Amino acid sequence: MNLFKKNLFFFSLLLLISSIVEAQNTITITGQVLEQSTQQSLPFVTVAVNEAQTSKTITGTVTDDTGIFTITELPTGNYVIEISYIGFETFQKKITAGGLNSIFDLGKIELKESAEALDEISIIAERATVASDLDKKTFSLDDNVAQSGGSVLDAMKTMPGVAFDQEGKVVLRGSDKVVVLIDGKQSSLTGFGNQKGLSNIPAANIERIEIINNPSAKYDANGFAGIVNIIYKKEKQTGFNGDIGLSFGLGALSKRKEDTPTDFGSFSVNPKLIPSVNLNYRTKKLNYFLQTEFIVQEALPNNEFTTRFYDDGRTIISQVPENRRQFRSIITGGVDYEISEKDNITFSGMYDREKHIDTSQVAFINLNNNIRNRLYTWKEEEITSFINASVAYKHDFAQAGHSLSANAQYTRGLEDESYFLNDSSAVRVGRDMTNIRAIEHTTSLSTDYARALSSGRMEIGAKARFRRLPVDYTIMRGNESIIYPNLGDFSKWSENLYAVYGNYVLEKERYDIEAGLRAEQTEVSYELDPDNIYYDTNDNYDYFELFPSVRFTYKLNDRNKLSAFYNRRVDRPGEPELRIFPKYDDPELLKVGNPYLRPQFTNSVEVAHRYSWGSGSLFSAVYHREINGAYQRIFSIDDSNPDYDIVNRIYQNTGHSTNTGFEILYSQDIADYWKLTSSINLYRNVIDAFTGTLLFPFERSFIIENTTDEAGDFKITNTFTLPWELEAQITGLWYSARNIPQGEELSRSSIDVGFKKSIWDKKGTITLSATDLFNRFGLRQRINGQDFRALYENYYETQIIRAGINYKF
């Protein structure tokens, strides 16, 4: 923590030269004009939009044959709507649009007859200043230069408030319980309830990424840390258009730590080739789209050094390099069909297939005498694939902002993973083989209704989701097999989710309110093979929960907004956290799930402020989260084998914890050619003492001590616009040390640089980027277990140089 305190002042000063990307919002105003006495619609009525302070006319329109008018693409601001018609009294309505509500439905407007004539109103269009939302941050990937040519995971690395754990999961404000959406929906591309796949999604086809720390009741209740919404590119111009790209890279250029003595070691200078294509063809009624992404590479997704310090004096080190050769293809396509002016339907599908072969030699070395006790070699062959099909229908009623939509989605997922395990040492000589085959079926049905109001909007909806995931486990045991006996051959996991929600938004001149309630009924079943001796009963349970969300925003003035949030959310363990079959990449450090795991629930509150000016903005937030039933991996010794100790890493609910902190994002354009962005997130983790019981492979207790620690994440990005259509960017990251159950995660840092040049009359770009120049971003943890301590170091591939080219047509 001394390092954290010494750097706190330095990084706080750097906040004065930072900025974030702001989204620009527009609004729509609609309504229907009637004659008061006869209730007949009035066509060709003049509708003017005047600036509230100056009374200057900004834009306007006239009503149609049914008296309905719609004004679109109006910048946010304060307006007076003036409706006038010869022979009738003028109607005026004040509108306050701060960016929260995008559609204002004034409903039926009745004009009263008058003998006075009205002056003609001239309509002049003029763009106004745009405000940003407090509860959502939007980042355009066109502005990300230092990670160009990489994956979505690489692009998110520099986003304010975002960090990553050792398994590549997104961490928002210190927590990995994050939901990842694709175009606003859960998808097989990133999993249901987890984040798999982010490191394999090339950023070339992504338009922007949204980070929502306080989701409304419209979103699923899972993911207490927030939501990451990845928006794919979609061309709007008619005709045939799109872009093609090609990226080449080299990874793991240097070694943070020398390999332990084996024949294989860890992959280095790993080649990567990522071509991508984005095609779009639009006609008046139809829009066809196709996006393809391919990854061919050698990689080092994990490179785990684990040093165990046993209480009896032994010190054992092992290294597990996950040397990977990989090919992955992702093909997404579909068609948008405009059935009528008010009805649209979209058919879309996705095919995602990945095959990789991992090889590793694991040496176990006794550091007391520098003797290799054991040499363990394994090979993994894995194929995963997803087929995703969906249909989405939307009906727009006559009034803008009044709509009904329905969505149906089916996903079939396949995981076929074979491990070939070989031991050759004094401990044992033997071979084993395991195969896990899992086929997941997920069906989702949802409907949403939205109605714009004169000063806000109303949203209601319902959803049902059904997941089935049977797992078949095949074991071919060799001599003195290391595979636990009596695991059984199968498991069957299922989850049914039923949800309804209501959400209401009210926007006034000085304040706005958003309040919602989501109700979810969840039914979970986990059936185990009766031959399994470690868990004596199947697990079936269901629960009904309410998830309220409230936001209140007070507008101090045009440049200052103050918001308060409250959310209740849940994180449900998925099948990977529940899976009873261990992973044998390190036979002395086994990762395994827990079929009796339960959900964790979180209550969070936040107060946020935003101040903006012409060349920059300042966002600040204070937040507090109470987590009950938090689950994570527990380290525990299994001493049932007389020849060597096994350390299990088992998922377990661990009681109560809190997370309290503040976040600052500050923006300033220093000059026309220089923009600085930075962020600081400081928080305190409190993990309460807890005593629990592990059941696998035998019953034993574990203890988590009460710990309190302060931690922080700091990020700074400099972006320069240079002559000759050239952009340059340099980003610095520093994550401080922080407490975790049973120990501490140590600090880490990274420096990334990138260059982008426009060519071919700005239709093409060339990029060159380098991440983690000094190879300091690997993850290290100190673990204090019962009867042992451990130093876990994962120097996975973070240092990558990439060159890319993209052409838009």
Side-chain angles (χ1 to χ4, degrees):
M1 291 310 301
N2 290 333
L3 182 61
F4 168 73
K5 294 177 180 177
K6 289 178 181 179
N7 285 277
L8 174 58
F9 177 71
F10 169 73
F11 281 101
S12 298
L13 289 177
L14 291 174
L15 286 174
L16 299 178
I17 53 173
S18 61
S19 69
I20 61 174
V21 179
E22 295 186 8
Q24 295 187 346
N25 298 329
T26 59
I27 64 170
T28 296
I29 301 175
T30 186
Q32 184 179 25
V33 181
L34 306 176
E35 184 180 355
Q36 186 182 63
S37 59
T38 65
Q39 292 295 298
Q40 295 295 313
S41 59
L42 290 175
F44 310 114
V45 175
T46 301
V47 182
V49 179
N50 302 326
E51 195 175 65
Q53 292 183 343
T54 64
S55 298
K56 182 180 179 180
T57 300
I58 303 300
T59 187
T61 187
V62 294
T63 60
D64 62 15
D65 292 340
T66 62
I68 293 175
F69 69 89
T70 302
I71 299 173
T72 62
E73 300 298 324
L74 184 67
T76 54
N78 297 326
Y79 302 104
V80 174
I81 310 304
E82 188 172 274
I83 301 175
S84 57
Y85 195 56
I86 296 176
F88 291 83
E89 295 182 359
T90 299
F91 170 88
Q92 290 186 334
K93 171 73 174 180
K94 190 170 184 179
I95 293 293
T96 300
L100 171 68
N101 188 38
S102 60
I103 298 178
F104 294 80
D105 185 357
L106 305 185
K108 294 182 178 180
I109 301 163
E110 299 178 357
L111 295 188
K112 183 179 180 180
E113 292 185 13
S114 172
E116 298 179 1
L118 299 173
D119 295 332
E120 181 182 356
I121 298 177
S122 59
I123 307 300
I124 302 173
E126 184 175 304
R127 190 173 181 83
T129 303
V130 178
S132 297
D133 294 339
L134 272 167
D135 58 342
K136 180 172 67 176
K137 310 176 189 74
T138 303
F139 303 92
S140 170
L141 294 200
D142 289 337
D143 299 325
N144 191 297
V145 182
Q147 285 75 35
S148 56
S151 67
V152 169
L153 200 67
D154 296 319
M156 293 177 62
K157 187 177 176 182
T158 57
M159 293 180 181
V162 180
F164 298 95
D165 69 4
Q166 73 272 23
E167 297 177 350
K169 292 182 179 180
V170 179
V171 176
L172 294 180
R173 295 175 173 177
S175 172
D176 66 353
K177 300 302 183 288
V178 178
V179 173
V180 179
L181 306 178
I182 302 291
D183 291 329
K185 300 179 180 65
Q186 288 183 300
S187 166
S188 60
L189 197 59
T190 52
F192 294 85
N194 60 50
Q195 305 169 29
K196 61 184 178 182
L198 285 179
S199 60
N200 292 319
I201 303 175
N205 285 341
I206 305 302
E207 178 182 331
R208 66 184 187 276
I209 296 176
E210 299 173 341
I211 296 177
I212 307 170
N213 291 117
N214 296 279
S216 71
K218 184 176 180 179
Y219 294 94
D220 286 354
N222 53 309
F224 86 76
I227 290 174
V228 173
N229 188 20
I230 300 171
I231 308 297
Y232 266 73
K233 292 178 180 177
K234 206 170 199 180
E235 295 291 341
K236 296 182 180 179
Q237 64 188 47
T238 58
F240 181 71
N241 50 74
D243 60 77
I244 58 175
L246 180 65
S247 172
F248 176 77
L250 295 173
L253 302 179
S254 63
K255 292 184 183 294
R256 178 79 178 272
K257 186 170 183 173
E258 287 301 315
D259 294 330
T260 55
T262 64
D263 295 332
F264 291 173
S266 60
F267 275 0
S268 60
V269 195
N270 301 326
K272 306 170 190 307
L273 186 66
I274 307 177
S276 62
V277 179
N278 175 25
L279 302 176
N280 208 90
Y281 179 70
R282 182 181 291 273
T283 65
K284 184 177 180 180
K285 291 284 187 180
L286 294 167
N287 177 57
Y288 303 92
F289 55 92
L290 177 68
Q291 294 156 337
T292 63
E293 305 157 341
F294 301 93
I295 301 173
V296 182
Q297 67 173 345
E298 288 188 356
L300 191 64
N302 281 291
N303 187 22
E304 303 175 348
F305 294 83
T306 307
T307 308
R308 294 95 148 160
F309 305 89
Y310 294 99
D311 288 355
D312 61 10
R314 289 174 301 131
T315 302
I316 307 295
I317 186 173
S318 63
Q319 178 194 2
V320 183
E322 194 170 345
N323 296 318
R324 173 167 294 182
R325 290 183 172 90
Q326 178 187 33
F327 176 79
R328 181 166 185 167
S329 58
I330 304 172
I331 302 174
T332 304
V335 57
D336 303 314
Y337 175 47
E338 184 180 321
I339 302 173
S340 67
E341 291 185 357
K342 302 298 182 182
D343 297 276
N344 289 272
I345 191 167
T346 297
F347 299 93
S348 62
M350 185 192 70
Y351 176 72
D352 173 13
R353 185 182 190 274
E354 187 247 2
K355 179 179 181 179
H356 68 251
I357 298 176
D358 295 342
T359 54
S360 183
Q361 280 187 343
V362 185
F364 297 84
I365 300 171
N366 187 334
L367 295 180
N368 299 96
N369 53 23
N370 205 32
I371 295 177
R372 189 173 72 186
N373 296 332
R374 185 178 192 181
L375 182 63
Y376 176 74
T377 304
W378 58 264
K379 177 181 178 181
E380 179 199 20
E381 296 180 0
E382 182 174 359
I383 295 175
T384 59
S385 68
F386 292 95
I387 300 173
N388 197 84
S390 66
V391 55
Y393 169 77
K394 184 178 181 182
H395 172 72
D396 292 315
F397 295 93
Q399 297 82 10
H402 188 192
S403 65
L404 176 66
S405 61
N407 181 275
Q409 178 175 281
Y410 168 75
T411 297
R412 178 191 180 275
L414 167 68
E415 177 185 0
D416 193 335
E417 174 187 283
S418 295
Y419 265 96
F420 302 89
L421 315 173
N422 302 303
D423 239 335
S424 178
S425 64
V427 174
R428 65 181 283 271
V429 176
R431 296 184 178 184
D432 295 297
M433 192 279 284
T434 67
N435 174 264
I436 290 179
R437 183 176 175 86
I439 301 179
E440 178 176 5
H441 302 273
T442 302
T443 303
S444 297
L445 305 170
S446 63
T447 181
D448 299 277
Y449 174 81
R451 177 68 184 265
L453 307 173
S454 61
S455 298
R457 69 177 181 272
M458 174 187 66
E459 300 167 326
I460 58 174
K463 180 177 183 178
R465 188 182 71 200
F466 310 96
R467 298 178 65 192
R468 302 291 182 269
L469 208 169
V471 178
D472 292 320
Y473 191 52
T474 303
I475 303 173
M476 295 182 64
R477 298 181 183 276
N479 181 50
E480 298 182 276
S481 175
I482 63 172
I483 310 296
Y484 283 110
N486 305 116
L487 286 167
D489 296 332
F490 72 87
S491 67
K492 295 179 180 179
W493 178 79
S494 67
E495 179 188 73
N496 298 332
L497 173 68
Y498 308 94
V500 294
Y501 76 89
N503 200 53
Y504 175 72
V505 176
L506 174 67
E507 187 168 11
K508 294 294 186 179
E509 181 178 5
R510 300 297 294 178
Y511 67 91
D512 52 65
I513 299 173
E514 182 171 15
L517 181 65
R518 188 177 187 90
E520 292 188 352
Q521 171 71 26
T522 308
E523 301 168 353
V524 178
S525 172
Y526 202 108
E527 180 184 346
L528 302 177
D529 188 331
D531 291 340
N532 185 286
I533 64 173
Y534 306 101
Y535 300 96
D536 55 7
T537 61
N538 294 328
D539 201 23
N540 300 281
Y541 64 96
D542 62 87
Y543 54 95
F544 175 81
E545 296 286 345
L546 297 176
F547 301 97
S549 63
V550 180
R551 180 190 56 78
F552 175 79
T553 297
Y554 183 71
K555 305 168 188 178
L556 303 172
N557 52 46
D558 291 341
R559 295 184 174 182
N560 284 276
K561 287 183 178 181
L562 186 67
S563 285
F565 301 86
Y566 168 74
N567 265 281
R568 182 173 189 262
R569 301 186 69 78
V570 63
D571 289 283
R572 304 178 180 89
E575 200 279 335
E577 289 82 23
L578 303 171
R579 184 174 294 181
I580 60 173
F581 306 117
K583 187 175 182 180
Y584 282 93
D585 50 0
D586 184 338
E588 297 185 15
L589 184 65
L590 290 182
K591 303 170 186 175
V592 65
N594 177 1
Y596 292 169
L597 210 57
R598 288 296 187 265
Q600 64 179 33
F601 293 89
T602 303
N603 290 286
S604 64
V605 293
E606 178 176 334
V607 177
H609 173 259
R610 186 177 188 87
Y611 173 59
S612 58
W613 55 96
S615 59
S617 64
L618 172 68
F619 171 89
S620 57
V622 178
Y623 58 88
H624 176 75
R625 300 187 293 214
E626 297 272 346
I627 305 104
N628 293 302
Y631 59 83
Q632 48 243 313
R633 290 192 188 272
I634 297 298
F635 286 72
S636 178
I637 286 182
D638 166 17
D639 56 6
S640 59
N641 190 306
D643 296 321
Y644 58 91
D645 288 324
I646 300 172
V647 176
N648 296 135
R649 295 182 63 190
I650 304 177
Y651 274 107
Q652 188 71 29
N653 293 102
T654 58
H656 178 265
S657 61
T658 63
N659 177 238
T660 305
F662 69 89
E663 183 180 54
I664 299 176
L665 318 174
Y666 190 88
S667 84
Q668 183 65 56
D669 292 343
I670 304 301
D672 291 341
Y673 59 88
W674 183 11
K675 182 177 183 178
L676 296 179
T677 70
S678 74
S679 66
I680 178 173
N681 177 41
L682 302 178
Y683 55 92
R684 167 176 284 190
N685 277 337
V686 178
I687 300 174
D688 291 351
F690 183 81
T691 300
T693 301
L694 301 175
L695 300 180
F696 182 88
F698 58 90
E699 188 172 315
R700 62 201 189 277
S701 63
F702 69 91
I703 298 173
I704 293 178
E705 297 180 354
N706 179 271
T707 60
T708 300
D709 200 5
E710 291 79 28
D713 306 327
F714 307 91
K715 303 187 181 184
I716 298 174
T717 298
N718 298 266
T719 304
F720 301 94
T721 302
L722 305 175
W724 307 295
E725 304 288 346
L726 183 66
E727 288 183 67
Q729 190 175 85
I730 181 169
T731 297
L733 317 176
W734 185 65
Y735 300 162
S736 77
R738 67 184 183 98
N739 62 327
I740 58 176
Q742 295 184 293
E744 178 185 33
E745 184 174 292
L746 305 181
S747 63
R748 52 184 174 148
S749 61
S750 176
I751 299 293
D752 306 339
V753 297
F755 300 90
K756 180 167 69 174
K757 178 175 173 54
S758 295
I759 57 175
W760 300 323
D761 294 328
K762 298 185 177 181
K763 289 186 177 181
T765 56
I766 297 176
T767 60
L768 177 65
S769 63
T771 61
D772 196 12
L773 281 177
F774 302 105
N775 202 9
R776 308 299 298 176
F777 203 61
L779 188 135
R780 300 170 297 154
Q781 295 177 339
R782 290 196 181 105
I783 304 299
N784 297 312
Q786 291 179 261
D787 302 322
F788 79 103
R789 293 176 296 110
L791 173 62
Y792 173 84
E793 303 165 285
N794 192 345
Y795 297 128
Y796 59 97
E797 184 177 285
T798 60
Q799 188 183 59
I800 305 173
I801 293 179
R802 296 186 181 91
I805 186 170
N806 184 273
Y807 177 72
K808 186 174 183 179
F809 54 89

